[in-house]
Amino acid sequence: MKRKFVTATQMPPLFYLWLIPAWFLLGLSRFVILTVTFKRFVHWLGLHDGLAPRTPLTTADQQMRARAISSAIAVAAKYAPWKANCFPQAITARLILGFYDIPYALFFGVTRSKQDDDMGELKAHAWVVSGRVNVTGGRSFRQFTSVGCFVSN
């Protein structure tokens, strides 16, 4: 308990500012994913930048904000009563980063799971990076082949 308290006191104010809104945005993102076709909301994700895996340049201040936003989304997703996997997290990160005009790249990727047979199960993933910060989705460039990239306007 003491460790959690110490960690909580070391979080930047931006983390606490976005914790509750991130939780609501995760729910809204999940609702949109379930009720609206991808074609109808794809323009909200940013400019389609093809397949090239690239990361936008950011300042030190933008990277600090992106880290705080990343932490808020991770904690909010952990306590969400709905499925808050990579896709709602990526949409939420895109919305919050866009609010601060922080450059981002939202990626969609696929990979095959390793199984005994020749063709493993196809797995999809979404992740967001901002400069050197992996905002959501972890270090996914090594594990997934990028099939789409959307960048900030």
Side-chain angles (χ1 to χ4, degrees):
M1 185 72 157
K2 181 181 176 185
R3 181 180 55 84
K4 288 188 178 193
F5 178 75
V6 170
T7 301
T9 59
Q10 295 173 347
M11 297 305 284
L14 191 63
F15 168 83
Y16 295 105
L17 176 70
W18 280 105
L19 186 60
I20 302 296
W23 189 81
F24 283 109
L25 285 172
L26 282 167
L28 179 62
S29 298
R30 181 70 180 157
F31 178 76
V32 168
I33 290 167
L34 293 175
T35 59
V36 179
T37 63
F38 185 75
K39 184 178 178 180
R40 304 257 339 213
F41 74 84
V42 70
H43 64 278
W44 294 340
L45 300 179
L47 298 173
H48 188 263
D49 196 31
L51 304 177
R54 67 184 87 191
T55 57
L57 297 175
T58 55
T59 65
D61 184 52
Q62 289 172 330
Q63 288 181 24
M64 184 182 66
R65 283 185 175 199
R67 281 188 193 92
I69 291 165
S70 174
S71 298
I73 292 170
V75 171
K78 183 177 179 180
Y79 294 102
W82 51 81
K83 190 174 183 180
N85 60 8
C86 61
F87 197 11
Q89 288 182 40
I91 293 172
T92 300
R94 179 267 172 265
L95 292 171
I96 299 173
L97 291 171
F99 179 80
Y100 285 105
D101 289 326
I102 298 174
Y104 67 87
L106 188 154
F107 294 93
F108 292 100
V110 294
T111 191
R112 291 212 181 267
S113 62
K114 294 177 172 74
Q115 293 182 351
D116 294 335
D117 58 356
D118 292 343
M119 299 297 284
E121 180 184 359
L122 194 63
K123 290 185 170 184
H125 188 48
W127 67 97
V128 176
V129 297
S130 181
R132 298 178 62 139
V133 179
N134 297 313
V135 182
T136 64
R139 302 177 195 272
S140 301
F141 285 115
R142 293 185 191 137
Q143 301 161 342
F144 293 87
T145 301
S146 177
V147 295
C149 175
F150 295 86
V151 296
S152 52
N153 301 344

